[in-house]
Every structure is written in structure tokens, then in C-alpha cells.
Amino acid sequence: MSPPANLLAEYARHTLDDSDRAAVAEALLDERLTTGPRVGAFEAAFATRVGAAHAVACNSGTAALEMIYAALEVPGRPVVVPAITFLATASAALRLGGRLAVADVDPARGHLTPDTLAATLAALPQPAAAVTVVHLGGPPADLPALAEVARRHGTVLVEDACHALGSVETPDGAPVGACTFSRAAAFSFHPAKTITTGEGGMVTSPDPALAEAARRHRNHGMVRAPAPLRADSLATAPWYYEMHSLAGNFRLTDFQAALGLSQLTKLDTFVEKRRRLRDHYLQRLAPLSPRVKPLEPLFEGTIGWHLMGVRVEDFAAGPEARAATMTALKARGIGSQVHYIPLYRQPHLADTLGPAADPARFPGAEAYYARCLSLPLFPDLEEADVDTVCAALEAALG
């Protein structure tokens, strides 16, 4: 099946081939459509690929975050998140009864920084249950420095790695997901991400207890033998199970896992193609500097680029400039997006935060948000498509 004619109409899209479709078709012929052997196989293959001790599959990146937060027992305790991220980074903690604390970010990259984290943690009335670091766009944040700040304040890092599959933690370090500096990482397999299962997610962790708690939260908080049961006399009864915590159904199906296994074999190819396309963007956008600046990683190394993010100085004049540019791009059949509206600007989260939602408290996030734009980036594109996008952007900016 060939890509759609309007390939550039979206900023991101999935890449599937006949081997992916065959893997799903084969799974649909099996007796088990969910909680079967392919889910375990996908978990094992993913853990091997990212160097993780444990991997727990689920039905979305949001579910992965909630499973981690549940394992860290966040109810009633602060959870620190960066101002620039998707809603789920915060909402997954709030749904469990966590107390949201929002930290400012680097205005150039949109990442949590050691300084903004330290200031946020120092202002909390009690130690945070967790600090969630978001690897916005694919490049990792400064994990070693952030982990040291978290350690000094008696808390731990969680990685929202939904954008960062295929990246490494440090220039000479392990893949993101190995959790060298964190207690757990969450991944997404939404169709916009580097590999897809349609909808899906994964938790990775070096901690067997956290992984087991995540599995329990994935399946209604349900416990069966040989795990400890309250009613010991029924522990060997074949029908018996117990609900040990309030949870939900976050299971992944076997045919989704089949697609994930097939896509995982192409991960390196996808990452390399995204890198080459970004390199071509850098060449084509260079004449537009300093008005247009591509977002730069903290270090040079293997980066699984999810977004082709740019900062456009023209947009600082006001939201009308960005709206006009995006409308002009759309008129030429080119999709674009903004990643993201700051959390404290969302009505429900602003109500939750109260006075702490004042935009003046977040100069870095305000500067980043005012200028950011994401251009199309996915493996089905070619360099000629990048040329088309850049020419259209140049025309839109006048």
C-alpha cells in the first residue's frame, strides 16, 4: 500500500509495510487475542532493545505514566512535571490523587533544567513522590544533573520518554529506557510516534517491585497465586483472585503486540531516516536564521527524533503571527503543530494550581511556547518533501 497523496498534510504519521500487516493478520488467527504470548514476547524484545531489566506493556503512554505513578504511591504527595508537556504527564498523577507542581523549562529546548527543578523542589512543603522528566521532541533532558538534584531533595526521577524511543541517555550512555538515572520510563506507541501498535505503551524499570506493581495496576489491581493473598486458605483454589488496589484495565492486545514486534525490528531504520530528514531540514532552514532556528539537542549523539521542532522569532509578536503561518502552510497542504500549550494555561490545571498558575512564574515556558512550531517529520518523507515544506515556510514568513 502506497503512502497517501497528501503525505505532508500531517506533521506526523505511522509507517507500515506488508510485514507489519502480515504479523497482525497472523495474530488474528490465534486462539488468544489478548493477554497472550505475543504481549510477553513484545515486552521481552523491547526490554532487550532499550537495555531495561523489566518491561510492562499497556494500552497507551498515558496508562504507562499512571502505572508508574501508582507504583510510586503518589496520592496526597507532590509530583513535579515540566510546564511544557502533553496533558497526560500531569493528568495521570492527578487522577491518582497526586498534587501537581509545575516547574519552568529552558526557553530554547522546552526541557526541565537542574535550576528550575531545584527551585520547584525547594518550594514544596514536603518531598515530592517523583519528578517527571519529559524528553521533548526526542532529545533527552540532562538526566545526570536532574537525578542529582532529585537525590538531594529526597525524590526520584520518572522519564516521560514517549517522544524519545531510539535516543541515548547521555553521549556515551545506554538507550533511553534503561533507566540508569530514573526509577522508571514511560513510552507511547501512538501512530505519531517512532513505532506504533495503533495505541499502546510500555513501562520500563530496573526495579522488580515497581514492575510488578505496574502489572497489577494494568489489570484491575488483581492478584492471584503465587502472590501473597489475604485469604491463604484459598490460595490454591483455581478460580480465586483478590483486588488489592483500585486500578483499571490497561491491557495490550496480542494483535497490537504483534504489530509492535514487527515495528521494533525497523526501529533503527526509522531512527536513521528521521535523522537524515532532520539533517536536510537543517541545511534548508539555515538561510532563514536567525528568524527560524531548529531546536538543538543538549548533546550530539544518537537521537530518536520525534519532532522537527523550530523556534520562529516572528511569532514572538503575538499568536496571530503563528496562526497566520500555520494557516498558510495548511493552504499549501502542509500540516504543522504546536508542542505544547503550557500546562498552567489549561483551565482545569490552572484551577488546580491556583495562584501557582500565573504565567509570570514561567518565563522560560512562555518564551518557548511563544515561538515553537513542529514541521512534518516521519520516515515516509523524502528530501524533496522537506524542500517543499521549507519553501512553503519561507513564503509564509514573507
Side-chain angles (χ1 to χ4, degrees):
M1 182 179 297
S2 60
N6 59 335
L7 188 63
L8 289 171
E10 303 290 340
Y11 80 91
R13 71 181 308 276
H14 60 274
T15 298
L16 300 180
D17 62 20
D18 288 344
S19 66
D20 297 317
R21 299 180 185 93
V24 173
E26 182 181 355
L28 291 173
L29 296 174
D30 282 358
E31 293 294 323
R32 297 282 296 275
L33 292 184
T34 190
T35 61
R38 284 180 172 81
V39 173
F42 183 36
E43 291 172 334
F46 193 88
T48 297
R49 176 59 180 80
V50 302
H54 305 277
V56 185
C58 55
N59 59 14
S60 69
T62 304
L65 286 163
E66 181 170 324
M67 288 156 58
I68 294 169
Y69 290 149
L72 293 175
E73 301 178 345
V74 303
R77 302 166 65 196
V79 176
V80 178
V81 301
I84 299 293
T85 184
F86 186 54
L87 304 173
T89 314
S91 63
L94 287 174
R95 284 196 306 275
L96 293 170
R99 293 174 48 233
L100 185 63
V102 178
D104 202 8
V105 298
D106 175 357
R109 297 185 178 90
H111 283 175
L112 189 65
T113 74
D115 288 342
T116 60
L117 176 58
T120 303
L121 289 172
L124 294 178
Q126 66 184 113
V131 171
T132 303
V133 180
V134 177
H135 302 314
L136 183 67
D142 190 352
L143 284 170
L146 292 168
E148 175 57 23
V149 173
R151 184 195 64 77
R152 291 201 308 265
H153 287 267
T155 186
V156 297
L157 295 189
V158 169
E159 295 174 69
D160 182 336
C162 292
H163 288 188
L165 181 58
S167 295
V168 294
E169 299 173 326
T170 60
D172 56 354
V176 168
C179 302
T180 307
F181 303 95
S182 70
R183 287 286 299 278
F187 292 89
S188 169
F189 308 128
H190 180 275
K193 301 304 192 296
T194 305
I195 70 169
T196 187
T197 58
E199 289 280 5
M202 191 76 75
V203 172
T204 63
S205 178
D207 183 349
L210 188 147
E212 184 54 37
R215 291 189 186 94
R216 187 167 61 248
H217 196 80
R218 173 178 66 180
N219 190 29
H220 304 282
M222 188 186 299
V223 175
R224 296 179 183 271
L229 299 172
R230 304 269 176 93
D232 294 339
S233 61
L234 291 171
T236 59
W239 73 88
Y240 191 69
Y241 59 88
E242 294 178 349
M243 177 182 169
H244 281 194
S245 59
L246 184 63
N249 174 6
F250 300 133
R251 298 188 296 262
L252 190 74
T253 67
D254 264 47
F255 50 89
Q256 288 176 296
L259 178 56
L261 280 163
S262 181
Q263 287 265 294
L264 192 59
T265 66
K266 306 174 180 69
L267 175 59
D268 291 338
T269 301
F270 289 164
V271 168
E272 174 60 19
K273 181 64 179 293
R274 287 169 175 268
R275 183 197 63 77
R276 293 203 310 269
L277 290 169
R278 181 179 179 276
D279 285 348
H280 194 61
Y281 264 116
L282 298 184
Q283 295 175 23
R284 287 290 282 107
L285 291 173
L288 296 182
S289 181
R291 292 175 67 191
V292 179
K293 295 181 180 179
L295 299 185
E296 296 292 341
L298 190 64
F299 59 82
E300 294 300 327
T302 302
I303 306 295
W305 288 98
H306 168 52
L307 299 177
M308 182 57 219
V310 296
R311 287 180 297 141
V312 182
E313 288 302 320
D314 301 48
F315 296 166
E320 298 81 7
R322 180 162 54 193
T325 298
M326 294 178 73
T327 299
L329 291 174
K330 185 176 181 180
R332 290 172 175 253
I334 296 170
S336 59
Q337 190 53 271
V338 173
H339 294 89
Y340 292 99
I341 301 170
L343 291 177
Y344 51 82
R345 287 176 169 263
Q346 297 296 339
H348 178 75
L349 300 181
D351 292 344
T352 300
L353 291 166
D358 181 359
R361 296 168 59 94
F362 304 94
E366 287 292 294
Y368 178 86
Y369 171 55
R371 295 165 174 79
C372 66
L373 187 69
S374 297
L375 302 173
L377 182 68
F378 45 90
D380 284 343
L381 296 180
E382 300 298 339
E383 290 186 355
D385 298 308
V386 173
D387 294 337
T388 298
V389 173
C390 293
L393 179 62
E394 185 172 11
L397 294 174

